[in-house]
Amino acid sequence: STTQSKFGGSSMYFDGTGDYLLMLPSIALAFPGDYTLECWVYLNSVSGNQGVYSSIDNSIDSNQGIAISFSGTSFLATSYISGGDAITHQTAVTTGQWYHLAMVRSGSTTKSYLNGVQSTGTTTSTYSLTQSGSTIGSAYPGTNPLNGYINDLRITKGYARYTATFTPPTTAFSVY
C-alpha cells in the first residue's frame, strides 16, 4: 500500500479480516541460536490481539515458537515452549503512528524493544526452532490478524543486533 509508509513510499497492508503472509516450514526459517526480528508497525486499531510475526517449530509441535504481537495497547514479544514466557511492554501504543519493534535473542536470553527502549522483562531459553513455518500479519496460522501496516521487516539469523537500548533506524534497510 502507498497509504502509509515509514520508508520507501509503500508498506505491507493488513486489513484485520484475516489476510496474512504464510511461509511454509523450512530449515531456512529455523532459529537455532541468536537472532533479531525487527520491523516498523503502524496500527489502525488497538483492540483485541493482533499478530505481527509468528514462527512455530513444526518439527516438534505447535506449542514451540516465537512471536511479536499486540494485545490491545501492549506490545508483546513471546518466546515459548508449551505456553512459555511473554515479555510485555508497559508503554501503551496508539493508532496512527509508526513503532519500531525488535525481538532479540543473544545466547539464552531473549529481550524485546519498543522504539529502541528495552522492556524490563526478559526470557531465558536454550531451545532451537529447527523447522519453522512463519506468518507475517497474524499469529500462526492466520489467527489474530493485524489491522495496520508493516514496513522494513528484517530477520537476522545468527546475530543479536541489539543487546541494550538503541536508536531505531532512521533510513530503510539496505538491499543487497
Side-chain angles (χ1 to χ4, degrees), residues 107-122:
S108 63
T109 301
T110 302
K111 298 178 181 180
S112 68
Y113 301 86
L114 177 64
N115 289 335
V117 177
Q118 181 185 332
S119 170
T120 55
T122 62

Side-chain angles (χ1 to χ4, degrees), residues 116-134:
V117 177
Q118 181 185 332
S119 170
T120 55
T122 62
T123 64
T124 301
S125 65
T126 56
Y127 73 95
S128 294
L129 298 178
T130 58
Q131 281 282 335
S132 296
S134 301

Side-chain angles (χ1 to χ4, degrees), residues 61-119:
D61 67 36
S62 63
N63 293 316
Q64 301 195 37
I66 55 178
I68 53 177
S69 61
F70 292 93
S71 178
T73 61
S74 296
F75 165 54
L76 306 175
T78 309
S79 174
Y80 55 94
I81 297 177
S82 299
D85 298 316
I87 305 168
T88 304
H89 279 264
Q90 300 306 313
T91 304
V93 297
T94 62
T95 60
Q97 81 176 59
W98 286 98
Y99 293 96
H100 184 264
L101 313 178
M103 181 176 180
V104 181
R105 177 173 157 174
S106 178
S108 63
T109 301
T110 302
K111 298 178 181 180
S112 68
Y113 301 86
L114 177 64
N115 289 335
V117 177
Q118 181 185 332
S119 170

